[in-house]
Amino acid sequence: MSIPSIKKPVKQAKLSDVIQSQLETMILEGSLKPGQKLPAERELAKQFDVSRPSLREAIQKLEAKNLVTRRQGGGTYVNENILGGLSDPLFALMASSSESQFDLLEFRHGIEGMSAYYAAMRGTQADFDEIQRKHDNIGSAQLEENYRIEAEAVFGFYLAICAASHNGVILQLANSMAPLLIDNIEQNLTILAKRPDVFSQISDYRTRLMSAIISGKPQIAWGASHRHLAFIEEVLLKMTQENSRMERSMRRMKQAKF
């Protein structure tokens, strides 16, 4: 005679664990950003429709995982150092290497192409509005005639696309590499400044990318991203080759004098 299986009661998830999980998802997806202050305890409890003791317990668990920090009398903040893993000297060295600049462009082909594809597929109207706003910020930054400010605005535009992809890995990877990517964009802008005729073409490529995403056309968005970066890479390579030829010519002229 077979022995009937004993069914164990389903263990119900603890309320504080549910709240903790939801807050972690908000951090992962970028709804809560590094350094951002969480809403007041009373407001959060109302938002989650839970008691304040359960919410407090969830925040304590996040604090134990070093995801949030509490400031005496100042509220609770998402840990600012949550993305500090890529700030070691190796990355500073990469930022100053001319060869690494092209490696970073190749990396951007992958991450920006994917984020553009998924942003067009999954983006909400709120996402599209933010992408449009960040795109407009680039034009405002260009009036400053400061390549660092412009690079930060361009990165903000791409980060908005990453957020619209609703892929937490893409967003957090881009966020963690922010200093390196901003440096890359700034250096590219500084070099391209010697060819002012290309800036309008780069702006056109960027506008086409935004239009494809907002129109909800993933394949076209992916292609627009690749064409944009391929154009920049092609111009930079040509300029590097031209500079190399000029340096060789100068060396030959110096040698001819002796």
Side-chain angles (χ1 to χ4, degrees):
M1 185 176 73
S2 61
I3 300 172
S5 60
I6 300 172
K7 293 182 178 179
K8 293 182 180 180
V10 177
K11 190 177 179 181
Q12 208 165 22
K14 196 173 180 181
L15 187 55
S16 62
D17 291 337
V18 175
I19 302 165
Q20 176 193 347
S21 177
Q22 289 185 23
L23 287 169
E24 286 176 344
T25 299
M26 291 171 74
I27 292 171
L28 183 62
E29 291 180 347
S31 302
L32 290 172
K33 298 176 175 61
Q36 182 176 339
K37 184 178 181 181
L38 269 63
E41 199 174 89
R42 181 183 299 172
E43 187 181 331
L44 265 180
K46 185 178 179 182
Q47 182 180 328
F48 286 115
D49 194 22
V50 295
S51 66
R52 290 174 72 173
S54 293
L55 175 67
R56 202 170 294 128
E57 187 179 346
I59 290 175
Q60 286 171 351
K61 290 176 180 179
L62 291 176
E63 191 176 17
K65 294 175 77 171
N66 205 29
L67 290 171
V68 301
T69 55
R70 284 195 278 189
R71 301 175 189 173
Q72 191 66 35
T76 303
Y77 295 77
V78 179
N79 193 340
E80 286 187 280
N81 298 320
I82 200 170
L83 298 170
L86 298 181
S87 59
D88 61 34
L90 175 62
F91 285 87
L93 184 63
M94 286 177 64
S96 62
S97 166
S98 57
E99 192 62 36
S100 292
Q101 292 306 301
F102 288 101
D103 290 343
L104 279 166
L105 267 173
E106 289 179 3
F107 169 80
R108 288 175 58 194
H109 269 286
I111 194 168
E112 291 177 21
M114 281 191 295
S115 60
Y117 180 90
Y118 289 116
M121 180 185 290
R122 303 171 180 159
T124 64
Q125 188 56 54
D127 292 326
F128 297 153
D129 290 344
E130 181 67 2
I131 290 170
Q132 177 73 66
R133 188 176 73 82
K134 294 292 186 180
H135 179 269
D136 295 344
N137 284 350
I138 298 172
S140 301
Q142 287 170 339
L143 299 175
E144 300 287 334
E145 296 184 350
N146 181 311
Y147 294 129
R148 186 67 183 184
I149 293 173
E150 185 177 346
E152 289 170 351
V154 171
F155 177 74
F157 170 67
Y158 291 127
L159 199 62
I161 294 173
C162 290
S165 75
H166 293 275
N167 182 308
V169 175
I170 289 176
L171 176 61
Q172 299 306 340
L173 179 59
N175 248 325
S176 67
M177 295 186 70
L180 195 60
L181 293 173
I182 291 170
D183 282 346
N184 176 251
I185 295 168
E186 182 184 8
Q187 289 188 38
N188 293 343
L189 290 171
T190 303
I191 296 168
L192 292 170
K194 298 171 185 175
R195 286 278 310 274
D197 56 301
V198 305
F199 277 98
S200 61
Q201 295 178 67
I202 291 171
S203 294
D204 287 344
Y205 276 116
R206 204 180 287 126
T207 301
R208 288 177 208 165
L209 168 62
M210 180 186 65
S211 298
I213 292 170
I214 291 174
S215 301
K217 298 173 180 176
Q219 292 288 354
I220 295 175
W222 187 306
S225 175
H226 281 288
R227 281 189 291 275
H228 171 224
L229 291 170
F231 174 74
I232 293 172
E233 189 172 14
E234 182 183 356
V235 174
L236 289 173
L237 280 169
K238 283 181 179 177
M239 292 181 71
T240 302
Q241 289 167 358
E242 287 169 7
N243 288 339
S244 179
R245 281 196 296 271
M246 286 178 66
E247 286 171 5
R248 286 199 302 272
S249 296
M250 292 295 289
R251 283 197 299 270
R252 282 196 295 271
M253 287 172 67
K254 286 179 181 178
Q255 289 168 357
K257 292 179 181 179
F258 295 99

